[in-house]
């Protein structure tokens, strides 16, 4: 399985989070309104101490009960208004933010579909899954809460401090004393937390990968009795993740301790100083009450900064992880559209000095395919034969552009495949791979994937006939039977025949088959070959083959050896003139005679 690419170099959390703007933009009006409402609500809380001051210095000092009642009414109304405004804020943001999350998830999925196969070779699927789920959830939570409240609390603290300084600036300075150490702690905390948060989120991705692999590979794990070691690997990873999460908790506890303790001490100090001042008659009791209740009102905004910062940091990490995928280059459209030249000699499928090495091959290794020249004439079928690992599958994957050639070119009827749009290319070329994949859909839908939207039952039946896949009609619901991961399991040979049907259903001009009959028993194979022969009569085909019987379907054979086309000719010619070919074919022959292959189930 692929590994996780190393995270990009550290960027400031703010700069990273700014990248979310394009997704947030559509809902900006609501988000800003909500922030404004929250600031209003929060500042309303700060008016309460001022009412208290008026009450203590006025009606209370004057022993005027009516005034006290009036003050109480004011307080009640203020409290009500504050609660209403906070409720309004929540209502304002809930719907738009789930919209942001959904659109980011959709963008990620769309992008994943467009990323080249070489990207998916490199990335572990669990990492992609966790980015599409956990990370996006963290982002939504960030937009809903820390984003607004860092702003709201910042403004509230600022307004509160100004109010306190205006009440009495000596007391104000006493309260402000811990500000500097608290800020320093926050900065240090932010940096450390960033690192741990990133590690935790990557570990979630690794854990997801293990779960996914063991679910998909459950037969192998059970078959080889590996459930213990698999469980051990899982435990190991989840223990590491738990360690990282605990480290996060410890960091959070530290900053929480500092943020809670220091202001608390300052409030205590201010209380002592204030009481002395009131006793000396330098300060009114009302002012001290107002001052202290403002300080207490600011306690929550200050204390919450710790976890707001933590959540923002996690959101920044999530953003980073999200954009690591989004920044990967998707498959482009045609590169240099040029008028197709259709000289007669260029008809058919042609490999022209094609050299290829996998993007992730270790540096220094020679290219897997070197200067391949091969011409498959229009309507011709060419078999491709070679030892295991010689690069046959790779060569076939180059035609539908699952990988890009390193140098050289591949042309279809004289047109470079890089000049064709993906749609045009994939409409011309149909493929069937060695490992046939069926999706969670009906048999019919799985096969018709290979055709345009107009194809219907007639095409389906014809394709099923060519692939000798009449077993379909014996399935519980015929072609409507659900297969794939959420449906009925089929045998390897049955899946191969459906994949073959999918390849031929759209009557493609060019057919690329990677060992399409390997899992069939000898009799089914013969039947498929007979039917396939008719299809091959009017398509240009490249067929990877192992057995002489499959090779005999083709007009000519190309032998791939040492990264080059070592020989081209008819089966008989090559058998006579090429020792390697003769050897490959004889080996296959004897294996087949021993009846090793069979169509299970
Ligand atoms: N995605 C990949 N990335 C890097 N190397 C690969 C990849 N797929 C296959 N290879 C390597 O390329 C070589 C040829 O593989 P393949 O084309 O599948 O051979 P064949 O189909 O002839 O058996 C093998 O050595 C294999 O390890
Ligand atoms: Mg292969």
């Amino acid at each position: 399985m692929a590994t996780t690419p190393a995270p990009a170099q550290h960027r400031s959390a703010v700069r990273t989070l700014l990248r979310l703007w394009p997704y947030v933009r559509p809902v900006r009006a609501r988000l800003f309104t909500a922030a404004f409402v929250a600031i209003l609500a929060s500042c309303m809380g700060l008016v309460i101490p001022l009412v208290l001051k008026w009450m203590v210095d006025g009606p209370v000092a004057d022993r005027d009960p009516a005034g006290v009642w009036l003050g109480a009414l004011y307080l009640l109304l203020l409290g009500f208004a504050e609660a209403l405004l906070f409720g309004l804020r929540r209502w304002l943001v809930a719907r738009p933010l789930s919209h942001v999350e959904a659109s980011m998830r959709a963008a990620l999925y769309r992008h994943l579909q467009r990323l080249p196969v070489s990207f998916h070779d490199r990335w572990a699927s669990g990492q992609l899954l966790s980015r599409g789920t956990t990370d996006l959830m963290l982002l939504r939570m960030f937009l809903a809460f820390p984003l607004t409240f860092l702003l709201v609390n910042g403004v509230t603290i600022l307004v509160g401090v100004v109010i306190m300084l205006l009440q009495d600036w000596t007391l104000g300075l006493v309260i402000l004393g811990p500000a500097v150490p608290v800020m320093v702690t926050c900065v240090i905390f932010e940096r450390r937390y960033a690192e741990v948060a990133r590690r935790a989120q990557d570990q979630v991705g690794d854990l997801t990968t293990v779960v996914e692999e063991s679910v998909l590979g459950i037969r192998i794990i059970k078959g080889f009795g590996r459930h213990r070691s698999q469980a051990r690997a899982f435990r190991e990873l989840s223990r590491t993740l738990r360690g990282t999460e605990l480290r996060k908790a410890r960091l959070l506890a530290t900053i929480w301790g500092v943020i809670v303790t220091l202001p608390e001490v300052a409030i205590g100090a201010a209380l002592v100083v204030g009481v002395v001042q009131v006793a000396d008659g330098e300060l009114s009791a009302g002012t001290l009450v107002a001052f202290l209740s403002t300080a207490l009102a600011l306690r929550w905004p200050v204390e919450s900064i710790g976890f707001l910062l933590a959540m923002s940091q996690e959101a920044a990490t999530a953003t980073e992880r999200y954009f690591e995928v989004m920044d990967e280059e998707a498959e482009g459209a045609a590169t240099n559209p040029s008028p197709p030249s259709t000289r007669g000699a260029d008809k058919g499928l042609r490999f022209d000095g094609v050299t290829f090495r996998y993007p992730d091959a270790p540096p220094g290794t020679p290219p897997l395919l070197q200067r391949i020249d091969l011409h498959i004439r229009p309507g011709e079928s060419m078999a491709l034969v070679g030892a295991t690992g010689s690069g046959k599958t790779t060569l076939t994957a180059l035609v539908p552009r699952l990988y890009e050639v390193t140098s050289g070119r591949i042309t279809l009827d004289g047109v470079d495949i890089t000049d064709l749009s993906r749609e045009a290319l994939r409409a011309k070329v149909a493929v069937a791979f060695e490992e046939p994949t069926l999706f969670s859909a009906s048999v019919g839908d799985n096969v018709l994937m290979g055709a345009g939207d107009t194809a219907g039952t007639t095409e389906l039946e014809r394709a099923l006939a060519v692939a000798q896949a009449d077993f379909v009609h014996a399935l519980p619901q015929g072609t409507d039977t659900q297969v794939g991961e959420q449906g009925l399991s089929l045998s390897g040979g049955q899946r191969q025949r459906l994949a073959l049907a999918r390849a031929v259903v759209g009557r493609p001009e060019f057919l690329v088959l990677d060992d399409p009959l390997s899992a069939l028993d000898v009799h089914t194979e013969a039947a498929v070959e007979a039917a396939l022969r008719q299809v091959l009569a009017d398509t240009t085909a490249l067929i990877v083959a192992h057995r002489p019987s499959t090779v005999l379907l083709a007009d000519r054979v190309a032998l791939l050896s040492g990264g080059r086309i070592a020989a081209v000719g008819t089966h008989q010619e090559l058998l006579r003139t090429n020792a390697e070919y003769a050897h490959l074919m004889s080996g296959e022959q004897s294996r087949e005679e021993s009846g090793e292959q069979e169509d299970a189930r």
Side-chain angles (χ1 to χ4, degrees), residues 204-219:
V204 170
D206 293 341
L207 202 65
T208 317
T209 306
V210 170
V211 173
E212 202 215 350
E213 279 183 349
S214 41
V215 170
L216 289 181
I218 190 71
R219 284 157 197 265

Side-chain angles (χ1 to χ4, degrees), residues 121 358 360 368 387-394 403:
D121 285 349
Y358 277 103
D360 56 345
L368 183 58
T388 305
S390 57
K392 303 181 297 295
T393 298
T394 309
Y403 295 95

Side-chain angles (χ1 to χ4, degrees), residues 523-581:
H523 302 293
T524 314
E525 191 197 351
V528 175
E529 274 159 6
L532 199 53
R533 199 160 261 135
Q534 291 161 21
V535 175
L536 291 177
D538 42 36
T539 38
T540 310
L542 179 64
I543 307 167
V544 174
H546 276 116
R547 309 186 208 178
S549 51
T550 320
V551 170
L552 283 173
L553 274 176
D555 303 307
R556 288 190 298 159
V557 190
L559 175 65
L560 187 62
S561 173
R564 292 165 184 278
I565 297 293
V568 182
T570 64
H571 177 60
Q572 296 305 335
E573 276 168 18
L574 291 192
L575 271 186
R576 270 204 318 276
T577 58
N578 192 300
E580 185 184 351
Y581 184 76

Side-chain angles (χ1 to χ4, degrees), residues 326-441:
M326 294 301 280
D327 288 345
E328 289 278 340
E329 195 137 345
E331 291 175 328
T335 39
N336 49 338
S338 55
S341 59
T342 40
R343 282 172 292 137
D346 275 348
K347 282 262 182 200
L349 168 58
R350 185 186 268 280
F351 292 78
D352 234 343
V354 169
T355 296
F356 178 78
R357 54 176 302 158
Y358 277 103
D360 56 345
T365 49
L368 183 58
L369 302 173
Q370 295 173 31
R371 303 205 52 78
I372 301 279
D373 289 312
L374 192 61
H375 183 199
I376 304 157
R377 301 181 197 118
E380 184 183 35
S381 314
M382 174 85 80
L384 186 65
V385 174
T388 305
S390 57
K392 303 181 297 295
T393 298
T394 309
L395 188 70
T396 55
L398 294 179
V399 182
R401 280 180 76 192
L402 298 185
Y403 295 95
E404 301 291 340
V405 297
T406 311
S407 66
R409 54 186 220 137
I410 300 174
T411 56
L412 297 178
D413 288 342
V415 184
D416 193 323
I417 54 170
T418 57
D419 289 341
L420 289 167
S421 71
R422 300 260 164 198
E423 292 73 41
L425 175 63
R426 284 164 194 171
K428 270 177 179 289
V429 181
V431 287
F433 296 110
E434 242 172 328
E435 283 155 27
T437 303
L438 295 182
F439 295 91
S440 294

